[in-house]
Amino acid sequence: MPIKAEPNMVDFFDIAPKLLLTTSPDWEAKSRWFYGVNEDYGSFDPTPEAEAFVKELLKPAKTEMDSVSILTHWVADNMRYSGISMGCGEGFTLHNTEMNFRDRCGVCKDKAALLISFLRIAGFESYAAMTMAG
């Protein structure tokens, strides 16, 4: 029988069976597609404001690890989680540096995208990785 909704119950996604389908032959193919979509979309393209901010933020850094730590902690502490839909491509296109830096809110993948942008601005090689959480 179908699950009946109850007041204050957990989301159906957390309790109901689900079926995931894809046209990708494997995770490597999906990951390569995800990479291409976000690089083509410009998700990590720097902005002058973000470049100036990262440069200022990293002034006290003495090592590469200092830089990575400063950037990681800044994004974690200053970009608030907001689980709302923000438009076309939601779910597979990461929001760009301009939007993430300006609004300083988004879902987990937006936090990741801003960190990738900051790391790239700082001269690090950085990429998004897909995971099958849950």
Side-chain angles (χ1 to χ4, degrees):
M1 297 299 297
I3 298 170
K4 293 183 180 180
E6 299 176 16
N8 301 317
M9 73 181 285
V10 297
D11 193 282
F12 281 118
F13 183 82
D14 294 326
I15 58 169
K18 58 185 166 256
L19 175 65
L20 302 174
L21 300 173
T22 181
T23 57
S24 296
D26 54 34
W27 272 102
E28 181 180 349
K30 183 164 182 146
S31 182
R32 288 183 183 281
W33 169 83
F34 178 76
Y35 168 82
V37 166
N38 286 290
E39 293 295 337
D40 291 346
Y41 178 67
S43 297
F44 316 113
D45 292 350
T47 64
E49 295 81 12
E51 288 177 319
F53 182 78
V54 168
K55 183 178 179 183
E56 187 65 29
L57 197 60
L58 293 181
K59 279 187 177 178
K62 300 198 180 344
T63 66
E64 285 185 346
M65 190 53 77
D66 288 345
S67 295
V68 171
S69 180
I70 288 168
L71 296 174
T72 301
H73 285 280
W74 189 92
V75 171
D77 293 343
N78 294 283
M79 188 171 181
R80 72 185 180 280
Y81 183 87
S82 175
I84 58 172
S85 178
M86 293 197 222
C88 188
E90 195 71 29
F92 55 86
T93 50
L94 304 172
H95 296 115
N96 63 27
T97 305
E98 180 181 9
M99 179 179 172
N100 288 328
F101 184 59
R102 179 191 64 231
D103 297 347
R104 296 188 185 166
C105 70
V107 294
C108 53
K109 64 183 175 281
D110 297 317
K111 285 185 161 219
L114 186 61
L115 180 58
I116 291 164
S117 298
F118 278 10
L119 288 167
R120 288 183 180 187
I121 289 168
F124 294 97
E125 191 172 340
S126 183
Y127 303 95
M130 292 188 76
T131 61
M132 181 60 174

